Amino acid sequence: MPSLTHVALVELEKAGILKFVISQNVDSIHLRSGIPREKLAELHGNSFMEICPSCGAEYLRDFEVETIGMKETPRRCSDIKCGAKLRDTVLDWEDALPPKEMNAASKHCRMADVVLCLGTSLQITPACNLPLKSLRGGGKIVIVNLQPTPKDKKAWLVVHGMVDQVMAGVMERLNCQISPYVRIDLFHVIFNQTHCIGERKYTKWSLRVISVHGEKAPLSFIKSVEISFPDRPELKVAVLQKQPFVLKREMLLRPLDILLKINLSDGCGCQFVNIDFPVNFEESSGCVNLDKDKVIQKLKDVTVQDQCCGKFSVIERKNVPGQKKELSTYAVVTNIVKYGAIAPIAKLSVVNTVAKRSKEKVDIRSDDCLMASCEGEGTMKKLRVQ
């Protein structure tokens, strides 16, 4: 889950203050928290990302990709004109940094008025030398890290403190509110049926709960699925505990109400979600095709307003041509994190390496430190974070 610093950076980007983020992490949290892909360089890759080596398409997953070292994965590019085997994006030790990410990082560091180095030891080359590029254009380096770094002498300001506490002070000083983080996950429900004619009409049907990334992809946020039939108490409740979650039944052709209890994995903000899934075997449920971004934003707004997760919405429902198969795509709120005020530590160890009035560490309160870092600089037009 994103830390306070992750979501604070998102708010600064929305406010037009933060221009670019350079990350050495592979955890995908910057993307998941809301940093636009075009404003992010992931120098060491992303363990939740696959890339097509042929057309360059990127696929962000909700599960960790199985391999590292830019090896082939079990999936292919979904572009019908391509179809190449996908690769992971995480570097192995001997792999060179990707030029596309490195070039963008270098460019923005050269342009930056201020480069914030947050929670990094600045020891891994060549990434650790990127902030120095800002100095050639008159930019400044600010380092926030508990321990000293090899670049401290080049920095305009060094803060030895917890990044979350410093960023909480930054947001308070800028009067910029940190919104709750709402996590939304997607999954498919596929209902398939085959009608049989004997003495009485009956149907063989199956219901599958699968990942939107493919039937063989793991659903990391779902622990199990319980399927019950509220209007047919004589039918036994099915408990599906292994993926892929599949139930097969045979029964007479008559309307049926199905209740899906989606039991969420440990770490989610609620234990389960109940979804009504009515079935009329002889009539289509009708197609639904909503704007995905609008649905997700509405879910987020309602979740923040009600301060609880577990809400869901159908994004799409379609019939597969030539088959009695219906595919529904659901979006469900699996977590909400509220970032309350973080009490600043009594004193932070701060070094202003430019001001010659003192070469020793000076203990000042966190909000004073923020004043020092911005004093006389006016509005920061171009802020980059590493």
Side-chain angles (χ1 to χ4, degrees):
M1 300 298 289
S3 66
L4 181 145
T5 296
H6 285 99
V7 293
L9 295 178
V10 173
E11 298 294 348
L12 292 176
E13 188 277 327
K14 290 178 180 178
I17 298 173
L18 175 67
K19 301 299 182 181
F20 201 75
V21 175
I22 303 167
S23 175
Q24 294 171 265
N25 296 329
V26 298
D27 54 23
S28 194
I29 295 182
H30 281 303
L31 280 177
R32 186 171 290 281
S33 61
I35 294 293
R37 179 67 181 96
E38 65 274 12
K39 295 186 178 182
L40 173 67
E42 296 180 303
L43 299 183
H44 295 169
N46 184 330
S47 60
F48 292 80
M49 180 85 76
E50 292 175 289
I51 190 169
C52 177
S54 178
C55 68
E58 294 181 336
Y59 297 86
L60 185 62
R61 309 301 190 186
D62 55 15
F63 59 90
E64 286 191 85
V65 177
E66 301 88 336
T67 63
I68 65 169
M70 296 178 287
K71 299 182 181 67
E72 288 184 352
T73 70
R75 290 161 291 278
R76 291 181 176 271
C77 181
S78 59
D79 189 334
I80 58 175
K81 296 181 181 180
C82 181
K85 288 186 175 181
L86 301 179
R87 294 180 179 270
D88 72 79
T89 63
V90 178
L91 304 186
D92 213 339
W93 287 105
E94 67 274 10
D95 295 326
L97 269 62
K100 179 181 176 181
E101 308 291 318
M102 193 64 178
N103 291 342
S106 297
K107 170 189 171 183
H108 283 279
C109 281
R110 288 194 299 268
M111 295 168 57
D113 299 319
V114 176
V115 174
L116 290 180
C117 301
L118 302 176
T120 173
S121 64
L122 291 171
Q123 293 187 27
I124 305 299
T125 57
C128 67
N129 294 320
L130 285 171
L132 303 181
K133 296 180 181 294
S134 66
L135 300 178
R136 301 171 190 171
K140 292 182 173 66
I141 299 173
V142 176
I143 298 174
V144 182
N145 199 55
L146 283 174
Q147 299 82 20
T149 80
K151 310 301 182 190
D152 285 0
K153 293 182 180 179
K154 299 287 186 178
W156 179 70
L157 191 73
V158 177
V159 182
H160 294 303
M162 300 291 289
V163 173
D164 277 356
Q165 290 175 320
V166 173
M167 290 305 296
V170 169
M171 302 302 282
E172 182 179 1
R173 176 63 60 175
L174 295 177
N175 196 27
C176 191
Q177 186 177 2
I178 299 177
S179 303
Y181 169 72
V182 178
R183 171 161 177 154
I184 294 179
D185 286 291
L186 308 180
F187 63 92
H188 287 323
V189 175
I190 299 178
F191 187 84
N192 193 18
Q193 60 174 312
T194 303
H195 290 180
C196 304
I197 300 177
E199 292 183 4
R200 302 178 68 180
K201 282 187 177 183
Y202 68 98
T203 182
K204 294 180 180 180
W205 60 264
S206 66
L207 187 147
R208 298 171 181 264
V209 178
I210 67 170
S211 168
V212 295
H213 304 290
E215 190 160 350
K216 294 183 179 180
L219 273 168
S220 57
F221 58 94
I222 297 180
K223 182 163 53 178
S224 63
V225 177
E226 297 179 38
I227 302 178
S228 58
F229 310 92
D231 63 336
R232 302 279 294 275
E234 73 276 11
L235 297 178
K236 185 178 179 181
V237 175
V239 180
L240 311 177
Q241 295 182 326
K242 292 184 178 180
Q243 298 188 33
F245 303 113
V246 182
L247 175 65
K248 296 181 179 181
R249 287 287 173 93
E250 182 178 316
M251 60 181 57
L252 295 175
L253 277 172
R254 52 181 283 196
L256 181 68
D257 286 333
I258 299 177
L259 177 64
L260 301 177
K261 182 181 180 182
I262 309 295
N263 294 310
L264 301 177
S265 301
D266 297 338
C268 292
C270 55
Q271 294 183 332
F272 62 89
V273 177
N274 283 328
I275 297 177
D276 290 317
F277 194 85
V279 176
N280 188 332
F281 293 105
E282 297 187 289
E283 294 182 11
S284 170
S285 300
C287 295
V288 175
N289 189 7
L290 303 177
D291 186 295
K292 176 181 173 182
D293 293 335
K294 290 183 178 179
V295 170
I296 289 177
Q297 187 58 54
K298 184 176 180 180
L299 276 176
K300 288 182 177 180
D301 293 342
V302 173
T303 299
V304 171
Q305 179 180 338
D306 295 346
Q307 294 294 297
C308 65
C309 66
K311 302 180 185 301
F312 66 90
S313 180
V314 177
I315 294 179
E316 182 183 29
R317 180 176 290 123
K318 63 182 180 180
N319 298 312
V320 179
Q323 303 180 47
K324 284 189 171 296
K325 181 185 289 188
E326 181 181 278
L327 183 148
S328 302
T329 304
Y330 287 86
V332 58
V333 178
T334 54
N335 227 327
I336 177 173
V337 179
K338 293 168 282 187
Y339 302 90
I342 293 183
I345 49 180
K347 292 185 178 182
L348 288 174
S349 177
V350 179
V351 182
N352 188 321
T353 59
V354 174
K356 301 301 182 181
R357 57 182 177 269
S358 174
K359 294 183 179 180
E360 298 180 356
K361 295 182 180 179
V362 181
D363 288 332
I364 57 179
R365 295 189 179 275
S366 58
D367 51 355
D368 293 331
C369 156
L370 300 171
M371 286 288 287
S373 65
C374 300
E375 185 178 3
E377 296 303 308
T379 303
M380 291 185 285
K381 297 179 181 177
K382 300 174 184 175
L383 175 65
R384 270 74 180 173
V385 176
Q386 181 177 26

